[in-house]
Every structure is written in C-alpha cells, then in structure tokens.
Amino acid sequence: MISVVIPLYNKEKSIAMTLDSVLAQSYTDYEVIIVDDGSTDNSLKVVREKFSWLDSERVRIIHQENAGVSAARNRGIKEAKGEYVAFLDGDDLWDKDFLTAMSQLIAEFPDKSIYGLGCAQIKRGEKPILRNNYYRGVSTWDYATMAFTGSSACVKREDAIAVGLFDTRMTHGEDLDMWWRLMLLHGGVSDLRPYAYYIQDAENRAMNRIAPIEKHIPYYIDKFADARARDLEFRRFLDKEMIYRLYPYLFDEKYKQEAKLLAKKMDYSLQKNSMKWRMHWPYLYRLYQKINGK
C-alpha cells in the first residue's frame, strides 16, 4: 500500500481540485493522510465535504498547531500505514495514472529509497503538453532535482525515518535536503514523464517568498560534509545547487556577509568558470547577464 500524505495550510481555493486528482487514481491500493497544519481558512470544511462519503479508515485527517510543511510531512510519515509514502501539496495535481506509474517503479526497483515522476509546471486552467521521450531508470545526480519534488516523490517509509525525516529548521529547500539524503542512502529511480503538475499561480506558495538565509538549505551544507568528502560527483552536484541558491543573498545587505562565508565552502574547481564568477564578482556577473539579455 502507498500512503498519500497531503500537508494542508490555507488552501481552500485549491484543495478540492487536488483531492479530485487523488480520488481519480487508477491505482486503488492507497490511503490518504491529510495533515492540517493549523489552517485558519475554510480548507478543512472543503476536505470534510469532499470525503464525507468515504471510509474513515482509508482517509484520515490529522490536526496539529501550525509548525510548517516539514513538520506536517513528518507527522504524515509517522502516521502512515503503507510501506511507501507519496507526497502531494494541497495546490498541485496528479495525473490519474500517477500512483500506477509509481507502483511500477517500486516493483521494478524495490531496493531504492526514493522514487520520482516528472512534474510539469502549468498555470491554473492550462492543459500540459505531454511527450514520450523522457528518461526512465536509476537516477544520477544530474536528475536529482528534476525527478523529486514535493508532489512527485515517493519514499520508502523506513528509509525516510532512518535518515531523520524532513529538517524542520528549513522553509526553503527542505524537500531537496530530504531527497538527497535518501539518494545517498540507497539511491533513487526516476521516470521523468510528467505525472504531476505544479500550479505556478497557486495560492500561498512558500517559494513565492524570500527566506531568511538560516531557513534555506545552503545554510546547512555542513550536513553533507562526509558525503562531499568521499564522493566527487556528489560534491560537484551539491555545490552547484548551493551556488545557485546563495547567489541572490549576495545582493542583500542583511545576509551578504553570511552568504560570502558560506560561498567559501564551495569547491569551484569542479564548476564552470561562470559559477565562480557569479559568486566572486556578483555585481559584474549581473551586469554581464543584463548586457547579454539573460
């Protein structure tokens, strides 16, 4: 069985659409765990109306005081009865065959810690254009940010617990932190055909807000110190991801000095020159981008 964990915080305008995409699944061996993270709008009313006719053993609503999406996902993992846990945000959608495709990946690669399907970005009301020429197989680090998102990843429950669950100190990059730790444990598998849909203009998006640097994943790069030391490919991948996320902070007077200190921890010998330039001479690099229309 796959446990579907949906963290819920003030999604009254979108949660019905999200739940409809779960109820339409062609794969039926699943349970739904909705973790209400202290919603203050009518989200819970919408959920109760949607699930009023379903067996309460299959659909559970759990309440907690507002503690953030990581705490909500962690609560869902702990409460899950399934061996595997799939995540879906309260303003995203699944294709009707999402769980079918996920179950096929699990059956084919049962020894992995994390499984991911493609997630396409669309605007509300748009229909995605699907193609068939997508990568499918064991994930390399090059695919580690494309296959695993908060609405397209499925994890082995015991492995998620083994790596320490989601880090509740973060509000930005907390999902990537979890996926990478699982990748380092027993690896992952990807099918990049889009079976999940990220709604770009959805309400209350955490990623629409600028995070304090201590809430963002680069602040915790030392968590990966051992893996960076022993795995050259992982170090190349991780440092590139951290550089992209640190770069905007170099223009913020409040966080600039902290960002510079974190930037010194990167191994630029493994990166393209442009990555070094953007961190060492950020204003010149920004000017270069403007001149070249980037």
Short mmCIF file of all heavy atoms in Angstrom, two decimals, residues 35-76:
data_model
loop_
_atom_site.label_atom_id
_atom_site.label_comp_id
_atom_site.label_asym_id
_atom_site.label_seq_id
_atom_site.Cartn_x
_atom_site.Cartn_y
_atom_site.Cartn_z
N VAL A 35 -2.76 16.21 6.67
CA VAL A 35 -2.26 16.81 7.91
C VAL A 35 -2.57 18.30 7.89
O VAL A 35 -1.91 19.07 7.19
CB VAL A 35 -0.75 16.56 8.09
CG1 VAL A 35 -0.30 17.14 9.43
CG2 VAL A 35 -0.43 15.08 8.01
N ASP A 36 -3.60 18.68 8.63
CA ASP A 36 -3.97 20.09 8.72
C ASP A 36 -2.99 20.80 9.65
O ASP A 36 -2.94 20.53 10.85
CB ASP A 36 -5.39 20.23 9.25
CG ASP A 36 -5.73 21.68 9.53
OD1 ASP A 36 -5.47 22.52 8.65
OD2 ASP A 36 -6.21 21.98 10.65
N ASP A 37 -2.23 21.72 9.08
CA ASP A 37 -1.16 22.40 9.82
C ASP A 37 -1.67 23.74 10.37
O ASP A 37 -1.12 24.79 10.12
CB ASP A 37 0.04 22.62 8.89
CG ASP A 37 1.27 23.11 9.62
OD1 ASP A 37 1.51 22.66 10.75
OD2 ASP A 37 1.99 23.95 9.06
N GLY A 38 -2.78 23.65 11.10
CA GLY A 38 -3.32 24.86 11.73
C GLY A 38 -3.97 25.82 10.77
O GLY A 38 -3.84 27.05 10.92
N SER A 39 -4.68 25.33 9.76
CA SER A 39 -5.34 26.21 8.79
C SER A 39 -6.30 27.16 9.47
O SER A 39 -6.99 26.80 10.43
CB SER A 39 -6.10 25.38 7.75
OG SER A 39 -5.21 24.65 6.93
N THR A 40 -6.39 28.39 8.94
CA THR A 40 -7.28 29.40 9.50
C THR A 40 -8.39 29.79 8.53
O THR A 40 -9.20 30.67 8.84
CB THR A 40 -6.48 30.66 9.90
OG1 THR A 40 -5.79 31.17 8.74
CG2 THR A 40 -5.48 30.34 10.99
N ASP A 41 -8.42 29.15 7.36
CA ASP A 41 -9.47 29.44 6.38
C ASP A 41 -10.46 28.27 6.36
O ASP A 41 -10.60 27.55 7.34
CB ASP A 41 -8.87 29.72 5.00
CG ASP A 41 -8.15 28.50 4.42
OD1 ASP A 41 -8.07 27.45 5.12
OD2 ASP A 41 -7.68 28.57 3.28
N ASN A 42 -11.14 28.06 5.23
CA ASN A 42 -12.15 27.00 5.12
C ASN A 42 -11.61 25.71 4.51
O ASN A 42 -12.39 24.89 4.01
CB ASN A 42 -13.34 27.51 4.29
CG ASN A 42 -14.14 28.58 5.01
OD1 ASN A 42 -14.42 28.44 6.20
ND2 ASN A 42 -14.50 29.64 4.31
N SER A 43 -10.31 25.52 4.55
CA SER A 43 -9.71 24.32 3.95
C SER A 43 -10.32 23.05 4.52
O SER A 43 -10.66 22.11 3.77
CB SER A 43 -8.20 24.32 4.18
OG SER A 43 -7.57 25.39 3.53
N LEU A 44 -10.44 22.97 5.83
CA LEU A 44 -10.96 21.75 6.46
C LEU A 44 -12.41 21.48 6.09
O LEU A 44 -12.81 20.32 5.89
CB LEU A 44 -10.82 21.85 7.98
CG LEU A 44 -9.47 21.46 8.54
CD1 LEU A 44 -9.44 21.68 10.04
CD2 LEU A 44 -9.14 20.01 8.22
N LYS A 45 -13.19 22.53 5.96
CA LYS A 45 -14.59 22.37 5.55
C LYS A 45 -14.66 21.75 4.17
O LYS A 45 -15.46 20.83 3.92
CB LYS A 45 -15.30 23.72 5.57
CG LYS A 45 -16.76 23.66 5.15
CD LYS A 45 -17.40 25.03 5.16
CE LYS A 45 -18.85 24.96 4.68
NZ LYS A 45 -19.48 26.31 4.64
N VAL A 46 -13.81 22.23 3.26
CA VAL A 46 -13.77 21.69 1.90
C VAL A 46 -13.37 20.21 1.92
O VAL A 46 -13.97 19.38 1.24
CB VAL A 46 -12.79 22.49 1.02
CG1 VAL A 46 -12.65 21.84 -0.36
CG2 VAL A 46 -13.24 23.93 0.89
N VAL A 47 -12.38 19.87 2.73
CA VAL A 47 -11.91 18.49 2.82
C VAL A 47 -13.00 17.59 3.36
O VAL A 47 -13.25 16.49 2.82
CB VAL A 47 -10.66 18.41 3.72
CG1 VAL A 47 -10.31 16.96 4.02
CG2 VAL A 47 -9.48 19.09 3.04
N ARG A 48 -13.66 18.00 4.42
CA ARG A 48 -14.72 17.17 5.02
C ARG A 48 -15.86 16.94 4.05
O ARG A 48 -16.41 15.83 3.98
CB ARG A 48 -15.22 17.84 6.30
CG ARG A 48 -14.19 17.83 7.44
CD ARG A 48 -14.87 18.20 8.76
NE ARG A 48 -13.90 18.23 9.84
CZ ARG A 48 -13.41 19.35 10.37
NH1 ARG A 48 -13.79 20.52 9.88
NH2 ARG A 48 -12.54 19.30 11.36
N GLU A 49 -16.20 17.96 3.29
CA GLU A 49 -17.27 17.79 2.30
C GLU A 49 -16.85 16.82 1.20
O GLU A 49 -17.65 16.00 0.74
CB GLU A 49 -17.63 19.15 1.70
CG GLU A 49 -18.35 20.08 2.67
CD GLU A 49 -18.59 21.46 2.09
OE1 GLU A 49 -18.06 21.74 0.98
OE2 GLU A 49 -19.29 22.26 2.73
N LYS A 50 -15.60 16.89 0.81
CA LYS A 50 -15.10 16.04 -0.27
C LYS A 50 -15.06 14.57 0.16
O LYS A 50 -15.34 13.66 -0.63
CB LYS A 50 -13.71 16.51 -0.69
CG LYS A 50 -13.07 15.73 -1.83
CD LYS A 50 -13.84 15.88 -3.13
CE LYS A 50 -13.81 17.32 -3.62
NZ LYS A 50 -14.47 17.43 -4.95
N PHE A 51 -14.71 14.32 1.41
CA PHE A 51 -14.50 12.95 1.88
C PHE A 51 -15.61 12.45 2.79
O PHE A 51 -15.46 11.40 3.43
CB PHE A 51 -13.17 12.85 2.62
CG PHE A 51 -11.97 12.87 1.72
CD1 PHE A 51 -10.90 13.72 1.99
CD2 PHE A 51 -11.89 12.06 0.61
CE1 PHE A 51 -9.77 13.74 1.18
CE2 PHE A 51 -10.78 12.08 -0.22
CZ PHE A 51 -9.72 12.91 0.06
N SER A 52 -16.72 13.13 2.84
CA SER A 52 -17.77 12.76 3.78
C SER A 52 -18.34 11.37 3.54
O SER A 52 -18.81 10.70 4.46
CB SER A 52 -18.92 13.79 3.72
OG SER A 52 -19.49 13.82 2.41
N TRP A 53 -18.26 10.88 2.31
CA TRP A 53 -18.85 9.58 1.97
C TRP A 53 -17.84 8.44 1.99
O TRP A 53 -18.19 7.28 1.79
CB TRP A 53 -19.45 9.66 0.56
CG TRP A 53 -18.47 10.11 -0.48
CD1 TRP A 53 -18.15 11.39 -0.80
CD2 TRP A 53 -17.66 9.29 -1.32
NE1 TRP A 53 -17.19 11.44 -1.78
CE2 TRP A 53 -16.88 10.16 -2.13
CE3 TRP A 53 -17.51 7.92 -1.49
CZ2 TRP A 53 -15.97 9.69 -3.07
CZ3 TRP A 53 -16.61 7.45 -2.43
CH2 TRP A 53 -15.85 8.33 -3.21
N LEU A 54 -16.55 8.75 2.25
CA LEU A 54 -15.52 7.72 2.19
C LEU A 54 -15.27 7.08 3.55
O LEU A 54 -15.55 7.67 4.60
CB LEU A 54 -14.21 8.31 1.66
CG LEU A 54 -14.19 8.63 0.17
CD1 LEU A 54 -12.85 9.26 -0.20
CD2 LEU A 54 -14.43 7.40 -0.68
N ASP A 55 -14.73 5.87 3.53
CA ASP A 55 -14.37 5.13 4.73
C ASP A 55 -13.27 5.89 5.49
O ASP A 55 -12.22 6.19 4.94
CB ASP A 55 -13.86 3.73 4.31
CG ASP A 55 -13.56 2.85 5.51
OD1 ASP A 55 -13.53 3.36 6.64
OD2 ASP A 55 -13.35 1.65 5.30
N SER A 56 -13.51 6.18 6.76
CA SER A 56 -12.55 6.94 7.55
C SER A 56 -11.25 6.17 7.75
O SER A 56 -10.22 6.76 8.10
CB SER A 56 -13.15 7.31 8.90
OG SER A 56 -13.49 6.14 9.62
N GLU A 57 -11.27 4.86 7.56
CA GLU A 57 -10.04 4.09 7.68
C GLU A 57 -9.10 4.36 6.51
O GLU A 57 -7.90 4.16 6.61
CB GLU A 57 -10.37 2.60 7.75
CG GLU A 57 -10.94 2.15 9.08
CD GLU A 57 -9.97 2.38 10.23
OE1 GLU A 57 -8.79 2.00 10.08
OE2 GLU A 57 -10.39 2.93 11.26
N ARG A 58 -9.66 4.75 5.40
CA ARG A 58 -8.84 5.00 4.21
C ARG A 58 -8.42 6.45 4.11
O ARG A 58 -7.38 6.76 3.53
CB ARG A 58 -9.62 4.61 2.95
CG ARG A 58 -8.77 4.67 1.70
CD ARG A 58 -9.50 4.13 0.51
NE ARG A 58 -8.66 4.15 -0.67
CZ ARG A 58 -9.07 3.87 -1.89
NH1 ARG A 58 -10.33 3.52 -2.09
NH2 ARG A 58 -8.25 3.91 -2.91
N VAL A 59 -9.21 7.33 4.65
CA VAL A 59 -8.89 8.76 4.62
C VAL A 59 -8.86 9.27 6.05
O VAL A 59 -9.84 9.19 6.78
CB VAL A 59 -9.93 9.55 3.81
CG1 VAL A 59 -9.60 11.03 3.83
CG2 VAL A 59 -10.00 9.04 2.38
N ARG A 60 -7.71 9.79 6.45
CA ARG A 60 -7.57 10.30 7.80
C ARG A 60 -7.18 11.77 7.77
O ARG A 60 -6.35 12.18 6.97
CB ARG A 60 -6.50 9.51 8.57
CG ARG A 60 -6.97 8.13 9.01
CD ARG A 60 -5.86 7.39 9.73
NE ARG A 60 -4.87 6.84 8.81
CZ ARG A 60 -3.61 6.59 9.13
NH1 ARG A 60 -3.17 6.90 10.34
NH2 ARG A 60 -2.79 6.05 8.26
N ILE A 61 -7.80 12.54 8.64
CA ILE A 61 -7.48 13.95 8.79
C ILE A 61 -6.83 14.13 10.16
O ILE A 61 -7.43 13.79 11.19
CB ILE A 61 -8.72 14.84 8.66
CG1 ILE A 61 -9.41 14.61 7.32
CG2 ILE A 61 -8.34 16.31 8.81
CD1 ILE A 61 -10.75 15.31 7.18
N ILE A 62 -5.62 14.64 10.16
CA ILE A 62 -4.87 14.84 11.40
C ILE A 62 -4.67 16.34 11.61
O ILE A 62 -4.32 17.06 10.68
CB ILE A 62 -3.50 14.12 11.32
CG1 ILE A 62 -3.73 12.61 11.17
CG2 ILE A 62 -2.66 14.41 12.55
CD1 ILE A 62 -2.47 11.84 10.84
N HIS A 63 -4.89 16.78 12.83
CA HIS A 63 -4.76 18.20 13.14
C HIS A 63 -3.52 18.45 13.99
O HIS A 63 -3.18 17.65 14.87
CB HIS A 63 -6.00 18.69 13.90
CG HIS A 63 -7.29 18.40 13.22
ND1 HIS A 63 -7.79 19.18 12.20
CD2 HIS A 63 -8.19 17.39 13.38
CE1 HIS A 63 -8.94 18.68 11.78
NE2 HIS A 63 -9.20 17.59 12.48
N GLN A 64 -2.84 19.55 13.71
CA GLN A 64 -1.74 19.98 14.56
C GLN A 64 -1.66 21.50 14.52
O GLN A 64 -2.15 22.14 13.59
CB GLN A 64 -0.41 19.36 14.09
CG GLN A 64 0.07 19.84 12.73
CD GLN A 64 1.40 19.21 12.33
OE1 GLN A 64 1.71 18.08 12.70
NE2 GLN A 64 2.19 19.95 11.57
N GLU A 65 -1.05 22.09 15.53
CA GLU A 65 -0.81 23.53 15.50
C GLU A 65 0.17 23.83 14.39
O GLU A 65 1.01 23.01 14.04
CB GLU A 65 -0.26 24.00 16.85
CG GLU A 65 -1.26 23.90 17.99
CD GLU A 65 -0.72 24.50 19.26
OE1 GLU A 65 0.37 25.12 19.23
OE2 GLU A 65 -1.39 24.35 20.31
N ASN A 66 0.09 25.03 13.84
CA ASN A 66 0.93 25.39 12.71
C ASN A 66 2.41 25.24 13.06
O ASN A 66 2.92 25.86 13.98
CB ASN A 66 0.65 26.83 12.27
CG ASN A 66 1.49 27.23 11.07
OD1 ASN A 66 2.41 28.03 11.19
ND2 ASN A 66 1.18 26.68 9.92
N ALA A 67 3.09 24.36 12.28
CA ALA A 67 4.50 24.08 12.53
C ALA A 67 5.30 24.03 11.24
O ALA A 67 6.50 23.78 11.28
CB ALA A 67 4.66 22.76 13.30
N GLY A 68 4.64 24.23 10.11
CA GLY A 68 5.34 24.24 8.83
C GLY A 68 5.18 22.93 8.07
O GLY A 68 4.80 21.90 8.62
N VAL A 69 5.48 23.00 6.77
CA VAL A 69 5.25 21.86 5.89
C VAL A 69 6.10 20.66 6.26
O VAL A 69 5.66 19.51 6.13
CB VAL A 69 5.46 22.27 4.41
CG1 VAL A 69 6.93 22.62 4.14
CG2 VAL A 69 5.00 21.17 3.46
N SER A 70 7.33 20.87 6.72
CA SER A 70 8.19 19.74 7.08
C SER A 70 7.60 18.97 8.26
O SER A 70 7.58 17.73 8.25
CB SER A 70 9.60 20.22 7.41
OG SER A 70 10.26 20.68 6.26
N ALA A 71 7.15 19.69 9.26
CA ALA A 71 6.54 19.04 10.42
C ALA A 71 5.28 18.29 10.01
O ALA A 71 5.00 17.19 10.51
CB ALA A 71 6.23 20.07 11.50
N ALA A 72 4.50 18.87 9.09
CA ALA A 72 3.28 18.21 8.62
C ALA A 72 3.62 16.93 7.85
O ALA A 72 2.97 15.89 8.05
CB ALA A 72 2.48 19.16 7.73
N ARG A 73 4.62 16.98 6.98
CA ARG A 73 5.02 15.78 6.26
C ARG A 73 5.57 14.72 7.21
O ARG A 73 5.29 13.52 7.05
CB ARG A 73 6.06 16.13 5.20
CG ARG A 73 5.50 16.88 4.00
CD ARG A 73 6.62 17.38 3.09
NE ARG A 73 6.11 18.07 1.92
CZ ARG A 73 6.81 18.95 1.21
NH1 ARG A 73 8.05 19.25 1.57
NH2 ARG A 73 6.29 19.53 0.15
N ASN A 74 6.35 15.15 8.18
CA ASN A 74 6.89 14.20 9.15
C ASN A 74 5.77 13.51 9.93
O ASN A 74 5.84 12.30 10.19
CB ASN A 74 7.83 14.92 10.13
CG ASN A 74 9.15 15.31 9.49
OD1 ASN A 74 9.50 14.83 8.42
ND2 ASN A 74 9.87 16.20 10.15
N ARG A 75 4.76 14.28 10.32
CA ARG A 75 3.62 13.69 11.02
C ARG A 75 2.93 12.66 10.14
O ARG A 75 2.54 11.58 10.60
CB ARG A 75 2.65 14.80 11.42
CG ARG A 75 1.42 14.32 12.19
CD ARG A 75 1.73 13.90 13.60
NE ARG A 75 0.56 13.41 14.30
CZ ARG A 75 -0.33 14.21 14.91
NH1 ARG A 75 -0.17 15.53 14.92
NH2 ARG A 75 -1.37 13.68 15.53
N GLY A 76 2.78 12.98 8.86
CA GLY A 76 2.16 12.05 7.93
C GLY A 76 2.96 10.76 7.79
O GLY A 76 2.39 9.66 7.75
#
